[in-house]
Short mmCIF file of all heavy atoms in Angstrom, two decimals:
data_model
loop_
_atom_site.label_atom_id
_atom_site.label_comp_id
_atom_site.label_asym_id
_atom_site.label_seq_id
_atom_site.Cartn_x
_atom_site.Cartn_y
_atom_site.Cartn_z
N ILE A 11 1.98 -5.37 -18.84
CA ILE A 11 0.95 -6.23 -18.29
C ILE A 11 0.26 -5.51 -17.17
O ILE A 11 0.87 -5.07 -16.20
CB ILE A 11 1.58 -7.53 -17.70
CG1 ILE A 11 2.42 -8.23 -18.76
CG2 ILE A 11 0.52 -8.44 -17.17
CD1 ILE A 11 3.27 -9.36 -18.21
N ILE A 29 3.15 -13.82 -12.74
CA ILE A 29 4.62 -13.73 -12.51
C ILE A 29 5.37 -14.56 -13.51
O ILE A 29 6.44 -14.17 -14.00
CB ILE A 29 4.93 -14.14 -11.04
CG1 ILE A 29 4.47 -13.03 -10.09
CG2 ILE A 29 6.42 -14.41 -10.85
CD1 ILE A 29 4.56 -13.35 -8.61
N PHE A 32 5.43 -12.52 -16.72
CA PHE A 32 6.33 -11.40 -16.50
C PHE A 32 7.76 -11.88 -16.53
O PHE A 32 8.66 -11.26 -17.18
CB PHE A 32 6.02 -10.80 -15.08
CG PHE A 32 6.97 -9.75 -14.64
CD1 PHE A 32 6.93 -8.48 -15.15
CD2 PHE A 32 7.91 -10.03 -13.64
CE1 PHE A 32 7.82 -7.51 -14.71
CE2 PHE A 32 8.77 -9.06 -13.18
CZ PHE A 32 8.73 -7.78 -13.72
N VAL A 38 9.78 -5.49 -19.63
CA VAL A 38 8.37 -5.63 -19.27
C VAL A 38 8.04 -4.80 -18.05
O VAL A 38 8.90 -4.59 -17.20
CB VAL A 38 8.05 -7.12 -19.03
CG1 VAL A 38 8.89 -7.72 -17.95
CG2 VAL A 38 6.59 -7.36 -18.74
N VAL A 39 6.83 -4.29 -18.05
CA VAL A 39 6.27 -3.56 -16.88
C VAL A 39 5.03 -4.39 -16.46
O VAL A 39 4.19 -4.68 -17.29
CB VAL A 39 5.83 -2.14 -17.26
CG1 VAL A 39 5.25 -1.43 -16.05
CG2 VAL A 39 6.99 -1.36 -17.82
N LEU A 40 5.00 -4.72 -15.18
CA LEU A 40 3.85 -5.35 -14.60
C LEU A 40 3.25 -4.43 -13.58
O LEU A 40 3.96 -4.04 -12.65
CB LEU A 40 4.28 -6.69 -13.96
CG LEU A 40 3.21 -7.42 -13.10
CD1 LEU A 40 1.96 -7.75 -13.93
CD2 LEU A 40 3.81 -8.68 -12.51
N LEU A 41 2.03 -4.04 -13.75
CA LEU A 41 1.42 -3.08 -12.85
C LEU A 41 -0.02 -3.40 -12.56
O LEU A 41 -0.66 -4.07 -13.34
CB LEU A 41 1.57 -1.65 -13.39
CG LEU A 41 0.84 -1.36 -14.70
CD1 LEU A 41 0.07 -0.07 -14.59
CD2 LEU A 41 1.85 -1.28 -15.83
N GLY A 42 -0.46 -2.92 -11.41
CA GLY A 42 -1.86 -3.09 -11.08
C GLY A 42 -2.07 -3.40 -9.63
O GLY A 42 -1.16 -3.34 -8.80
N PHE A 44 -2.54 -6.06 -7.09
CA PHE A 44 -2.26 -7.48 -6.88
C PHE A 44 -3.08 -8.06 -5.73
O PHE A 44 -3.11 -9.24 -5.47
CB PHE A 44 -0.82 -7.73 -6.57
CG PHE A 44 0.15 -7.50 -7.74
CD1 PHE A 44 -0.21 -6.77 -8.83
CD2 PHE A 44 1.43 -8.03 -7.66
CE1 PHE A 44 0.69 -6.56 -9.85
CE2 PHE A 44 2.34 -7.82 -8.70
CZ PHE A 44 1.97 -7.08 -9.80
N LEU A 53 5.22 -13.23 -4.33
CA LEU A 53 5.68 -11.88 -4.59
C LEU A 53 7.06 -11.65 -4.01
O LEU A 53 7.91 -11.03 -4.61
CB LEU A 53 4.69 -10.87 -4.00
CG LEU A 53 4.80 -9.44 -4.47
CD1 LEU A 53 4.87 -9.32 -5.97
CD2 LEU A 53 3.68 -8.62 -3.91
N ILE A 56 9.65 -13.07 -6.48
CA ILE A 56 9.92 -12.26 -7.65
C ILE A 56 10.68 -10.94 -7.26
O ILE A 56 11.54 -10.53 -7.96
CB ILE A 56 8.64 -11.97 -8.47
CG1 ILE A 56 9.02 -11.42 -9.85
CG2 ILE A 56 7.73 -10.98 -7.78
CD1 ILE A 56 9.60 -12.38 -10.79
N LEU A 57 10.36 -10.41 -6.11
CA LEU A 57 11.09 -9.20 -5.65
C LEU A 57 12.53 -9.48 -5.39
O LEU A 57 13.39 -8.63 -5.62
CB LEU A 57 10.40 -8.62 -4.42
CG LEU A 57 8.99 -8.02 -4.63
CD1 LEU A 57 8.34 -7.62 -3.31
CD2 LEU A 57 9.07 -6.82 -5.56
N VAL A 61 14.10 -7.75 -9.94
CA VAL A 61 13.24 -6.81 -10.64
C VAL A 61 13.23 -5.48 -9.93
O VAL A 61 13.62 -5.40 -8.74
CB VAL A 61 11.76 -7.33 -10.69
CG1 VAL A 61 11.70 -8.69 -11.34
CG2 VAL A 61 11.11 -7.34 -9.36
N GLU A 62 12.90 -4.44 -10.66
CA GLU A 62 12.79 -3.11 -9.99
C GLU A 62 11.34 -2.91 -9.55
O GLU A 62 10.42 -3.10 -10.34
CB GLU A 62 13.21 -2.00 -10.94
CG GLU A 62 14.72 -1.85 -10.97
CD GLU A 62 15.11 -0.45 -11.36
OE1 GLU A 62 15.00 0.49 -10.52
OE2 GLU A 62 15.57 -0.27 -12.48
N ASP A 63 11.20 -2.55 -8.32
CA ASP A 63 9.87 -2.24 -7.73
C ASP A 63 9.75 -0.72 -7.66
O ASP A 63 10.23 -0.10 -6.70
CB ASP A 63 9.79 -2.93 -6.36
CG ASP A 63 8.53 -2.51 -5.61
OD1 ASP A 63 7.62 -1.90 -6.17
OD2 ASP A 63 8.46 -2.86 -4.38
N ALA A 64 9.15 -0.14 -8.69
CA ALA A 64 9.06 1.34 -8.75
C ALA A 64 8.24 1.85 -7.59
O ALA A 64 8.56 2.97 -7.10
CB ALA A 64 8.45 1.73 -10.06
N THR A 65 7.23 1.18 -7.15
CA THR A 65 6.38 1.66 -6.09
C THR A 65 7.10 1.75 -4.75
O THR A 65 6.74 2.51 -3.87
CB THR A 65 5.10 0.85 -5.95
OG1 THR A 65 5.37 -0.55 -6.14
CG2 THR A 65 4.10 1.29 -7.00
N ARG A 74 0.49 -1.87 1.26
CA ARG A 74 0.38 -1.62 -0.20
C ARG A 74 -0.01 -2.91 -0.96
O ARG A 74 0.54 -3.93 -0.72
CB ARG A 74 1.73 -1.10 -0.70
CG ARG A 74 1.81 -1.00 -2.17
CD ARG A 74 3.09 -0.30 -2.61
NE ARG A 74 4.29 -0.90 -2.13
CZ ARG A 74 5.17 -1.54 -2.90
NH1 ARG A 74 4.93 -1.67 -4.21
NH2 ARG A 74 6.29 -2.03 -2.40
N TRP A 77 1.15 -2.26 -7.37
CA TRP A 77 2.57 -2.50 -7.73
C TRP A 77 2.85 -1.98 -9.12
O TRP A 77 2.01 -2.03 -9.99
CB TRP A 77 2.86 -3.98 -7.70
CG TRP A 77 2.66 -4.57 -6.33
CD1 TRP A 77 1.47 -4.98 -5.75
CD2 TRP A 77 3.65 -4.72 -5.33
NE1 TRP A 77 1.72 -5.41 -4.47
CE2 TRP A 77 3.04 -5.28 -4.21
CE3 TRP A 77 5.03 -4.46 -5.26
CZ2 TRP A 77 3.73 -5.56 -3.02
CZ3 TRP A 77 5.70 -4.77 -4.14
CH2 TRP A 77 5.05 -5.29 -3.01
N ILE A 78 4.13 -1.53 -9.31
CA ILE A 78 4.73 -1.30 -10.62
C ILE A 78 6.07 -2.02 -10.57
O ILE A 78 6.98 -1.53 -9.89
CB ILE A 78 4.91 0.18 -10.92
CG1 ILE A 78 3.61 0.96 -10.86
CG2 ILE A 78 5.56 0.34 -12.31
CD1 ILE A 78 3.75 2.48 -10.98
N LEU A 79 6.16 -3.13 -11.25
CA LEU A 79 7.40 -3.92 -11.29
C LEU A 79 7.96 -3.88 -12.73
O LEU A 79 7.18 -3.90 -13.66
CB LEU A 79 7.14 -5.37 -10.90
CG LEU A 79 6.52 -5.59 -9.53
CD1 LEU A 79 6.26 -7.12 -9.31
CD2 LEU A 79 7.39 -5.04 -8.45
N THR A 80 9.28 -3.78 -12.86
CA THR A 80 9.89 -3.74 -14.17
C THR A 80 11.08 -4.70 -14.27
O THR A 80 11.75 -5.02 -13.30
CB THR A 80 10.40 -2.31 -14.51
OG1 THR A 80 11.52 -2.04 -13.70
CG2 THR A 80 9.34 -1.29 -14.29
N ARG A 81 11.28 -5.18 -15.47
CA ARG A 81 12.50 -5.93 -15.85
C ARG A 81 13.00 -5.36 -17.17
O ARG A 81 12.23 -5.05 -18.08
CB ARG A 81 12.18 -7.41 -16.11
CG ARG A 81 11.84 -8.14 -14.84
CD ARG A 81 11.71 -9.63 -15.05
NE ARG A 81 12.93 -10.17 -15.61
CZ ARG A 81 13.00 -10.99 -16.65
NH1 ARG A 81 11.93 -11.42 -17.24
NH2 ARG A 81 14.16 -11.37 -17.11
N LEU A 83 14.23 -2.43 -17.68
CA LEU A 83 13.99 -0.99 -17.75
C LEU A 83 14.55 -0.37 -16.50
O LEU A 83 14.69 -1.05 -15.46
CB LEU A 83 12.48 -0.72 -17.83
CG LEU A 83 11.77 -1.24 -19.06
CD1 LEU A 83 10.28 -1.29 -18.86
CD2 LEU A 83 12.09 -0.42 -20.30
N VAL A 85 14.08 2.55 -13.59
CA VAL A 85 13.11 3.48 -13.01
C VAL A 85 13.85 4.81 -12.73
O VAL A 85 14.83 4.88 -11.99
CB VAL A 85 12.56 2.95 -11.67
CG1 VAL A 85 11.60 3.92 -11.04
CG2 VAL A 85 11.86 1.55 -11.88
N LEU A 105 10.06 5.65 -16.67
CA LEU A 105 10.99 4.58 -16.94
C LEU A 105 11.82 4.90 -18.17
O LEU A 105 11.42 5.75 -19.00
CB LEU A 105 10.25 3.27 -17.21
CG LEU A 105 9.16 2.87 -16.16
CD1 LEU A 105 8.39 1.64 -16.68
CD2 LEU A 105 9.81 2.60 -14.84
#
Side-chain angles (χ1 to χ4, degrees):
I11 304 168
I29 289 172
F32 173 76
V38 59
V39 179
L40 170 58
L41 62 134
F44 291 18
L53 194 51
I56 194 72
L57 291 171
V61 304
E62 278 206 74
D63 174 9
T65 39
R74 170 172 57 110
W77 298 84
I78 302 174
L79 303 178
T80 70
R81 289 188 58 227
L83 299 160
V85 178
L105 310 173

